[in-house]
Amino acid sequence: MSDTNANSVAFVRETMLEEKAPPSTAVGVVGWAKANLFSGAFNTILTLVSLAFVLYILWGLVPWLLSPTWGALSLNECREINGPGHGGACWGVISDRWQQLLFGFYPNGSDGAADLRWRPVLALGLLFVAIAPVLFDKVPRKLFYVTAVYPFMMPWLLWGGSVWLPVMVMFGLVLGYLIIKYGADKIGSLAALIVGVLATVLFWLYGVSPVADAIHSAIPLGLEPVESRKFGGFMLSITIGVVAIMCSLPIGIVLALGRQSDLLIVKALCVGFIEFIRGVPLITLLFVASTLLNIFLPPGTNFDIILRVMIMVTLFAAAYMAEVIRGGLAALPKGQYEGADSLGLDYWQAQRLIIMPQALKISIPGIVSTFIGVFKDTVLVSIIGLLDPLGLSNAIRADADWNGIVWEIYGFIALLFFVVCFSMSRYSMYLERKLKTSH
């Protein structure tokens, strides 16, 4: 027995075994379904019940969606096409009124007038070009010139009028910038800032219109004017939403910093503004913009209703934005502030280079959620008489041809808002992954 053990040699493999593919039931769709949907008796029953419910919904929804009524010109024609039971949707209302839902009563060439709808389409296209270098770092930096000019170009394209009016508004900003830049060495940075802001505001109030009119009389360049009452549809929601989103973020940052300021007056003003705006419903502010604001203005003042709504929606969004950013500032550890002090940075340098970038990164989900909420809240303007998509839907359903249509119009409007809001949420997730906010 001992001789046998002594002469035995243990087997040692000299080559590695070839890798084998995992079982087909453990990978791919089958593996995922087995692990997540059919991992146990309870999950299997729940999956089958949910699948039956989804199939039941699709059984009734798909034929309704695939209704061949795109060419119908009235609800009665839709019913004739769908036959007995009228179980399909009446998509003829979308085919007939989609342009009105998108553009409102913006001039479209009817009644011998010029077709001007290319202007809001161009403004929307330039919007994507203008925000591209802000949202994505691989876009050519030269597009920042479009970004800088777009806030002045968009209202000119939509409302028309003399081209010299937006040019003079830009000149006012340039004037204030030059005073701040070159006056800091002579009168101090704070005094230069105050003088520059005052010069810009005074030029906008008293110099823009006379100078623009004088230049226009010599060099008449401009677009055909369009009244605000012709604005409507999804174009109106986009216009109000974009302006509110673009302006509320910087105002919110200033309010958040003012709320944390050690200056008593600045802090009191910011806290009072934020708490007042957040304590009042948006619809109340819109009523103020629509009716009460003209009472406090000088007699004969023509303050555009859409501009008033933009201001109120922007202030409303800025108050909520300030609280979101303040949460990001409060989440930063005290060591970040101490590190900025150790580098010898002043307050504004520390905020620009160290504090605010980190606070904004932390606040990305809240910022985008506020943006989405503001954009959806633009439908409230229908209550004060502006013809946004919901306001137009009431006018369309009042037509005898489409009286009784509900789900088709609301579904189309919901789809438009979903595309925009879902795009913003997807970009938020992309930005979070890029900046790795969880680390």
Side-chain angles (χ1 to χ4, degrees):
M1 186 67 177
S2 60
D3 294 339
T4 303
N5 291 336
N7 293 330
S8 62
V9 178
F11 175 76
V12 179
R13 182 175 297 279
E14 297 179 353
T15 59
M16 296 294 293
L17 289 174
E18 295 182 0
E19 294 183 359
K20 295 183 178 180
S24 59
T25 58
V27 295
V29 177
V30 176
W32 179 88
K34 184 177 180 181
N36 295 277
L37 303 179
F38 304 99
S39 58
F42 178 75
N43 280 352
T44 301
I45 295 173
L46 189 60
T47 298
L48 294 177
V49 172
S50 302
L51 183 61
F53 178 74
V54 171
L55 291 177
Y56 173 76
I57 296 296
L58 292 178
W59 183 265
L61 184 61
V62 171
W64 185 82
L65 292 174
L66 299 180
S67 173
T69 55
W70 288 96
L73 298 178
S74 66
L75 180 58
N76 292 330
E77 289 189 24
C78 289
R79 291 172 175 171
E80 293 176 0
I81 294 173
N82 287 324
H86 314 301
C90 185
W91 297 119
V93 64
I94 305 301
S95 178
D96 184 43
R97 298 297 184 93
W98 68 270
Q99 294 189 26
Q100 188 177 2
L101 287 172
L102 292 181
F103 299 101
F105 297 101
Y106 207 85
N108 62 345
S110 60
D111 301 330
D115 187 358
L116 304 180
R117 288 184 175 176
W118 62 270
R119 285 159 48 175
V121 173
L122 178 60
L124 180 62
L126 291 176
L127 172 64
F128 293 116
V129 177
I131 64 175
V134 178
L135 301 181
F136 305 101
D137 54 0
K138 294 183 179 180
V139 177
R141 301 291 93 182
K142 292 183 179 180
L143 291 181
F144 270 116
Y145 293 109
V146 181
T147 306
V149 176
Y150 183 77
F152 310 96
M153 185 182 300
M154 183 194 72
W156 176 63
L157 285 174
L158 295 180
W159 277 273
S162 173
V163 70
W164 302 112
L165 188 63
V167 170
M168 289 299 103
V169 174
M170 284 191 291
F171 177 78
L173 281 179
V174 174
L175 176 64
Y177 171 76
L178 294 176
I179 293 175
I180 295 173
K181 181 177 180 180
Y182 295 104
D185 297 334
K186 298 180 180 179
I187 59 177
S189 58
L190 180 60
L193 177 63
I194 296 174
V195 173
V197 172
L198 287 177
T200 300
V201 173
L202 292 176
F203 181 76
W204 283 349
L205 292 176
Y206 303 105
V208 168
S209 295
V211 175
D213 293 341
I215 299 177
H216 185 74
S217 61
I219 309 175
L221 294 177
L223 296 174
E224 181 179 342
V226 178
E227 299 177 355
S228 293
R229 62 183 180 86
K230 295 183 179 180
F231 282 53
F234 199 63
M235 180 192 74
L236 179 61
S237 297
I238 288 285
T239 303
I240 297 174
V242 167
V243 172
I245 288 172
M246 289 174 57
C247 298
S248 63
L249 181 58
I251 297 175
I253 293 174
V254 174
L255 289 173
L257 294 177
R259 182 159 191 166
Q260 292 189 330
S261 175
D262 295 330
L263 301 176
L264 181 60
I265 297 179
V266 173
K267 184 175 183 179
L269 290 175
C270 293
V271 172
F273 174 83
I274 292 172
E275 296 303 329
F276 172 77
I277 296 294
R278 293 175 72 234
V280 178
L282 176 58
I283 187 60
T284 304
L285 299 177
L286 294 179
F287 274 119
V288 170
S290 175
T291 57
L292 298 180
L293 196 59
N294 280 337
I295 299 176
F296 301 99
L297 295 175
T301 302
N302 184 17
F303 199 179
D304 188 85
I305 178 62
I306 295 180
L307 180 59
R308 283 180 270 164
V309 169
M310 288 178 179
I311 294 174
M312 287 300 180
V313 175
T314 299
L315 296 179
F316 181 82
Y320 283 86
M321 189 66 64
E323 290 299 281
V324 171
I325 296 172
R326 187 171 69 92
L329 292 171
L332 289 181
K334 187 177 180 181
Q336 298 296 321
Y337 296 89
E338 295 174 348
D341 294 336
S342 66
L343 293 175
L345 302 178
D346 60 25
Y347 177 80
W348 294 110
Q349 290 175 333
Q351 292 293 337
R352 181 171 59 88
L353 300 175
I354 296 179
I355 306 301
M356 194 54 64
Q358 298 183 73
L360 292 177
K361 185 177 72 171
I362 296 172
S363 306
I364 286 175
I367 291 174
V368 177
S369 296
T370 304
F371 286 165
I372 293 174
V374 169
F375 184 71
K376 292 189 295 184
D377 285 343
T378 57
V379 298
L380 294 175
V381 300
S382 61
I383 300 178
I384 60 173
L386 294 180
L387 295 178
D388 75 312
L390 287 184
L392 285 172
S393 68
N394 296 328
I396 293 173
R397 290 188 295 111
D399 190 339
D401 291 333
W402 305 114
N403 190 7
I405 295 292
V406 177
W407 293 106
E408 294 84 348
I409 298 178
Y410 288 155
F412 181 71
I413 296 172
L415 178 63
L416 295 176
F417 277 91
F418 173 79
V419 170
V420 177
C421 296
F422 184 75
S423 300
M424 285 193 283
S425 67
R426 291 299 97 184
Y427 176 77
S428 171
M429 297 178 65
Y430 156 78
L431 195 59
E432 289 180 47
R433 290 193 301 267
K434 179 182 176 182
L435 299 178
K436 298 179 181 179
T437 56
S438 60
H439 293 75

